[in-house]
Each structure stands twice: as C-alpha cells, then as structure tokens.
Amino acid sequence: MRDDHTEALARRAAAGDAMALNDLLTAIRPAVLRRCARLLPCFQDAEEACQDALLQVARAIGRFEGRSRFTTWLYVVVANSARQTYRSLKRRAAEQHDLPPLDRPDPRTTSVIAGSRLDFLDALERLETRRPDLVAPLVLRDVCQLDYAEIAGHLGIPAGTVKSRIHQARADLREYLSPAL
C-alpha cells in the first residue's frame, strides 16, 4: 500500500468521490487483512474483521477530516474491528451450550501464537473495563506500530501522556498475562 497514493485516495473519498472510495477499499484490503490477522489467530475470523473494518471505512470516510494521516485513522478502525469481532465470537461461543466458551484456548488445538493472541485480547478486555483510556494508546503503539507523535496527534493528547499511558497499560497487561502462582 503506497502511503501517498492511499492518502490522496482517502482525501478524495472523504470528499464524496465514490470511485476513489472503491479504489481505496481495494488498495487497503491486503493491509487491513494482515493487521486483523495479527490479532485474530483464525484466518476466517481475520477475514470477518477485515470485512467489518472495510465496511466501517466505507461508512465513516466522510468523517475523516485529514487531521492525522489516513493510515493512522485506518489502523484505529482495524484494531477496533478485530477486537469487536473477537468479542462477538466469544459471545457466540458462550451462547452455544454444546461448545466450550473461548475463555481459554484449548492447548491441544491451539498453537502457542494463537493462544497468546487470545490471551492478549482477553487482557485488553480486562484493561478496557478498568482503564479504558489506556487501551487506544497501547493498541496504536504495540499492534498498529504507530510512533508516539502519530498517536498523540490522533488522540489529541501530549506525547508524554501517550508514553505514560502505554507504560501503565503494559504494566497492567503484564499482570493480567502472568500466570497465577
């Protein structure tokens, strides 16, 4: 995904150009799918989150104001979509009596990487209930790999606050992810 081309398409799409929106969605789909797959261990789940993220982009592109880079805005949408897909999958599994809930991955059927992603998503949910202000900076930095200045610009807070929140979020996640002794 070429950044300058994507940014131009996003500006045109935000201004109401339907052809630019179509081209934008086509251009960003591979990167969106890769980002969803970083969080969701099952490819079908990542595809579902990708489709949801692309739909969100299509619906909300008119609200993209260009204050930050489009890719920064996009990564927020993608991370939220992947987390929402995970919550939905967890809820669906809990509603089915014949299937175990997705509280803990089954070590016999889940790879170490996939299990750690599920643990990470569970830890993010716990963090969000306790300190929702810490989740966005952490996800933007550690999942979306944005730099501190981009995160600060997107969230409208000073870079020092971003760093502090990320530090606190990582400390809290370590506590959630540590096995009980």
Side-chain angles (χ1 to χ4, degrees), residues 1-125:
M1 176 168 68
R2 287 190 350 252
D3 209 32
D4 54 342
H5 178 68
T6 303
E7 295 295 326
L9 283 174
R11 283 192 299 279
R12 289 182 22 227
D17 183 337
M19 182 73 88
L21 176 59
N22 187 50
D23 291 346
L24 177 66
L25 294 174
T26 300
I28 65 174
R29 187 183 189 290
V32 169
L33 182 57
R34 274 191 308 277
R35 294 222 178 242
C36 289
R38 279 186 179 170
L39 280 171
L40 298 166
C42 178
F43 185 73
Q44 290 86 354
D45 298 343
E47 283 183 322
E48 181 180 333
C50 175
Q51 290 303 315
D52 289 345
L54 293 174
L55 183 60
Q56 287 296 326
V57 168
R59 287 182 177 160
I61 192 69
R63 292 192 299 262
F64 173 65
E65 299 171 351
R67 287 182 290 151
S68 62
R69 291 184 5 212
F70 170 75
T71 51
T72 302
W73 182 81
L74 173 64
Y75 295 152
V76 172
V77 171
V78 171
N80 288 339
S81 180
R83 290 175 51 228
Q84 183 56 43
T85 297
Y86 177 69
R87 281 189 213 110
S88 175
L89 292 167
K90 218 173 136 174
R91 193 172 37 254
R92 279 187 252 163
E95 290 170 357
Q96 296 178 348
H97 299 307
D98 54 335
L99 294 176
L102 293 174
D103 288 333
R104 286 277 167 225
D106 181 348
R108 296 167 297 175
T109 60
T110 306
S111 73
V112 171
I113 293 171
S116 65
R117 286 190 223 163
L118 296 177
D119 289 344
F120 176 70
L121 289 168
D122 284 338
L124 278 179
E125 279 190 59

Side-chain angles (χ1 to χ4, degrees), residues 35 38-39 79 120 124 138-146:
R35 294 222 178 242
R38 279 186 179 170
L39 280 171
F120 176 70
L124 278 179
L138 178 80
V139 169
L140 291 174
R141 179 69 181 159
D142 291 351
V143 177
C144 300
Q145 299 175 336
L146 299 180

